[in-house]
Amino acid sequence: MSNNDTQRTVTVRIQRFNPDVDKKPHMQDYQVKMWPGMTILDALHEIKTHQDGSVTYRRSCRHGICGSCAMHINGRNTLACKTPIINEVKKNNTVTIGPLPYLPVIKDMVVDRTSFWEQYLRVKPWLIPPDDIPEREFRMSQEEVDALHDAEACIMCGACYSSCAVIGLNKKYLGPHALLKAFLRVLDPRDTAPGERLEIVSQADGVARCHTIFNCIDACPKGLNPTQAIETLRKLAQKRQKYEEAKAERQKHLNEPIPS
Amino acid sequence: MLTFKLQRWSAIALLVFLTIHMIFMHYVPPFHISFDVVQARLSTPTWKIIDILFLFSVLVHAMAGSYQVITDFESAFNYRKALAWASVIIVILAFVYGAKTIWAFQL
Ligand code: SF4
Ligand code: FES
């Protein structure tokens, strides 16, 4: 990539919507001079600071950690702070940015995430540890850690949730983010409520509603796999009692050394 | 979850019955299908039972699938109990009608 390439001016096309004045969303173009390493979030800052202060979006950490800058960039949900603009510039020298789909727009790229958080809370995303907490740390074997498939790395950005076609039709569906969290807790050897969690995800708006469309996998900026988590929950839900018993047995040995 | 399971189980049954159907209807002599051929086949109790079970799997599979897709819409999801009962009634009616037709075949 030549230096000229990274320093040219590109068109950033933003979906604008202010419910106080607009009846429906419209696109607005801004010209931004790229610099090497510029991300989509940097381009938005550039616009907001120097061209149009009314452009509205969420952001916080700027390091792909907080999940607040998830938006729809060139037809894909991803994090604005993690996406180099040079990778997104199309042949017509344009990058198109909009809010996360399927969610009510508050203003420009800011969406109302109420349903996202409501579904999340339904799976009781917190850890429910055993009563007798050991003096030393809980111990997990390498296999137990591997089985989580890095699900703990989820930053709750909502990219998966708002790329899911089932969510587009039905906001009562738990959604990939909540099911991924349920998976994490169900497989966590320290958690004492796997049965209750499996019961919740087995309801009509739970795992059975996933159509394995795989959009959530494509969208996840952390490379996580909610579809695989949903599939695992489906299997465990079939043998709930056995699984609960096995887990209770495992919890008796949580503070013992892991046999090698 | 029950609908999900019904759809999977009926899919396995369909695989078995469809294989039987395809082999005996299309890949063994005589290689043409006429009313006489079908009538002769459906006059035997074994084929009657196979085809009635085949019909049942098709109906369960189709109804479970349609129910799942229809209740994907939030407006329909709110009425899922009523829709489930309607689906069960449709399956029973269609099954009785189809099974009676198959059972009536004679040479
Ligand atoms: S699973 Fe991935 S896309 Fe979904 S909320 Fe977590 S980090 Fe975001
Ligand atoms: S600003 Fe925190 S993830 Fe992008």
Side-chain angles (χ1 to χ4, degrees):
Chain A
M1 191 186 307
S2 73
N3 216 26
N4 275 355
D5 225 21
T6 51
Q7 290 189 350
R8 69 173 195 257
T9 299
V10 293
T11 305
V12 178
R13 182 165 293 160
I14 299 178
Q15 182 179 312
R16 306 295 315 269
F17 178 66
N18 179 355
D20 293 338
V21 289
D22 298 327
K23 281 215 170 71
K24 53 181 189 180
H26 61 277
M27 304 308 285
Q28 193 167 342
D29 288 356
Y30 298 90
Q31 303 304 314
V32 175
K33 191 160 186 238
M34 289 197 292
W35 33 265
M38 183 185 235
T39 63
I40 298 282
L41 188 64
D42 293 328
L44 287 171
H45 277 330
E46 191 73 17
I47 295 166
K48 190 169 176 74
T49 317
H50 300 292
Q51 300 183 34
D52 183 348
S54 71
V55 171
T56 310
Y57 50 91
R58 283 194 182 109
R59 61 103 180 90
S60 180
C61 70
R62 238 197 58 181
H63 286 93
I65 299 293
C66 70
S68 50
C69 69
M71 49 188 84
H72 201 58
I73 300 167
N74 281 344
R76 238 186 98 232
N77 290 354
T78 191
L79 298 178
C81 70
K82 240 190 105 187
T83 311
I85 194 165
I86 189 77
N87 294 353
E88 295 296 327
V89 177
K90 297 272 172 202
K91 282 205 183 89
N92 58 359
N93 205 35
T94 305
V95 186
T96 308
I97 306 174
L100 289 177
Y102 303 140
L103 295 171
V105 177
I106 296 171
K107 193 178 174 201
D108 297 342
M109 265 75 73
V110 177
V111 290
D112 179 356
R113 291 175 182 239
T114 309
S115 64
F116 175 81
W117 293 115
E118 277 173 357
Q119 298 305 343
Y120 181 61
L121 290 178
R122 277 182 57 206
V123 299
K124 305 191 178 182
W126 52 88
L127 179 76
I128 305 177
D131 291 335
D132 48 339
I133 297 192
E135 273 173 28
R136 296 195 52 182
E137 73 275 14
F138 288 114
R139 288 166 189 256
M140 283 169 82
S141 69
Q142 192 54 46
E143 291 81 59
E144 285 168 337
V145 175
D146 293 344
L148 300 177
H149 290 279
D150 297 330
E152 72 284 356
C154 171
I155 55 170
M156 305 306 297
C157 66
C160 58
Y161 180 79
S162 101
S163 70
C164 174
V166 181
I167 288 294
L169 295 172
N170 187 351
K171 292 279 184 313
K172 289 191 174 146
Y173 170 45
L174 278 169
H177 68 307
L179 290 167
L180 184 76
K181 188 59 86 171
F183 161 85
L184 175 68
R185 295 295 173 230
V186 166
L187 266 77
D188 190 327
R190 301 165 298 170
D191 192 77
T192 54
E196 191 188 338
R197 298 183 195 283
L198 288 172
E199 168 102 50
I200 295 169
V201 303
S202 305
Q203 288 166 6
D205 45 15
V207 284
R209 211 140 280 287
C210 170
H211 286 275
T212 47
I213 302 167
F214 300 124
N215 277 358
C216 53
I217 304 177
D218 280 349
C220 181
K222 292 287 162 183
L224 304 179
N225 189 335
T227 312
Q228 175 264 336
I230 294 170
E231 210 48 59
T232 307
L233 287 175
R234 270 181 189 154
K235 283 188 194 137
L236 293 178
Q238 317 288 319
K239 40 179 181 179
R240 189 157 77 210
Q241 204 179 341
K242 257 194 180 163
Y243 184 70
E244 263 187 293
E245 286 165 9
K247 216 167 163 192
E249 186 55 36
R250 168 71 182 95
Q251 269 158 12
K252 290 181 192 157
H253 311 285
L254 264 181
N255 48 0
E256 291 172 13
I258 301 293
S260 53
Chain B
M1 205 65 176
L2 178 67
T3 328
F4 180 83
K5 285 184 199 167
L6 277 179
Q7 216 194 354
R8 265 67 190 169
W9 290 335
S10 57
I12 295 168
L14 270 185
L15 208 64
V16 174
F17 290 123
L18 206 57
T19 309
I20 296 173
H21 173 87
M22 290 304 282
I23 291 172
F24 286 94
M25 288 303 288
H26 304 284
Y27 301 121
V28 294
F31 291 104
H32 72 281
I33 304 168
S34 65
F35 183 76
D36 292 344
V37 173
V38 175
Q39 190 182 24
R41 193 171 58 95
L42 283 180
S43 308
T44 61
T46 316
W47 272 111
K48 281 189 206 288
I49 289 167
I50 289 176
D51 274 19
I52 286 173
L53 290 175
F54 189 11
L55 171 71
F56 185 69
S57 329
V58 170
L59 287 171
V60 170
H61 193 72
M63 228 6 119
S66 312
Y67 173 81
Q68 281 281 87
V69 172
I70 291 168
T71 53
D72 273 345
F73 293 87
E74 197 166 339
S75 44
F77 184 81
N78 297 333
Y79 299 102
R80 62 188 183 281
K81 283 239 162 77
L83 282 167
W85 279 112
S87 308
V88 170
I89 291 167
I90 293 172
V91 167
I92 293 173
L93 290 177
F95 178 71
V96 171
Y97 181 72
K100 271 177 76 178
T101 312
I102 294 171
W103 203 254
F105 270 90
Q106 295 174 5
L107 265 181

